[in-house]
Amino acid sequence: MHRQLLRIVLFAALSVGSTHACLAAEDSVSAELFSLIQQRNFDKAYVLAIQHEAELEGDPDFDLALGLAAKQQQDWHRAVFAFERLLATQPNAVDARYALAVTYFNMGNLEAAKREFTQLERANLPAQMKSSVNNY
């Protein structure tokens, strides 16, 4: 399930024209984080994200990458904060909302996961993401 989540989120962030992917190229730290995540080098991505968290938190690209790296390290609370911070400024960011829903699910917070998945069901999602949402 983790592999499927990563594939879907990276697809959404890097292939669907997400603003996150467009901006990541401009931000070398975020670009490096996305590259490490795509390479499945989660330990290094997590360490790099933590090193830059104080200076870059609040940047949507960084928050998505931080959340993904933290989620892979099962640092659930840091992942939730990063995804929620991104969604506070970009509520239609389906990649972040999907990752947040799965993180809540993995934490056992099924009520919050259901709330996020319900919002995703109403969004215009890529087919692969829509299928994954329906599986939850």
Side-chain angles (χ1 to χ4, degrees):
M1 187 58 74
H2 293 292
R3 187 171 289 159
Q4 182 181 11
L5 167 66
L6 178 64
R7 191 169 39 248
I8 290 169
V9 171
L10 284 174
F11 172 80
L14 301 174
S15 301
V16 182
S18 168
T19 56
H20 305 299
C22 296
L23 295 174
E26 299 172 13
D27 178 354
S28 63
V29 173
S30 294
E32 184 174 354
L33 286 170
F34 279 113
S35 177
L36 290 168
I37 290 167
Q38 191 169 26
Q39 296 167 29
R40 305 188 61 75
N41 191 343
F42 303 114
D43 293 339
K44 190 171 181 181
Y46 182 74
V47 169
L48 180 63
I50 297 304
Q51 289 172 348
H52 292 277
E53 186 174 17
E55 67 190 78
L56 295 176
E57 65 185 355
D59 174 82
D61 301 312
F62 178 78
D63 284 340
L64 179 62
L66 169 62
L68 293 172
K71 184 190 166 304
Q72 291 298 320
Q73 298 299 316
Q74 297 184 0
D75 186 350
W76 307 123
H77 296 288
R78 182 172 266 129
V80 166
F81 288 137
F83 296 138
E84 286 181 343
R85 191 169 44 235
L86 189 160
L87 289 166
T89 60
Q90 297 184 8
N92 295 323
V94 295
D95 45 2
R97 188 164 308 282
Y98 180 81
L100 177 62
V102 173
T103 301
Y104 278 140
F105 184 85
N106 290 337
M107 293 173 71
N109 188 342
L110 301 182
E111 185 176 321
K114 182 178 180 179
R115 181 181 63 240
E116 299 303 328
F117 282 126
T118 298
Q119 284 192 12
L120 285 165
E121 288 173 345
R122 291 180 254 176
N124 184 18
L125 302 176
Q128 188 177 10
M129 188 182 286
K130 185 175 229 169
S131 174
S132 184
V133 166
N134 291 335
N135 288 335
Y136 283 94

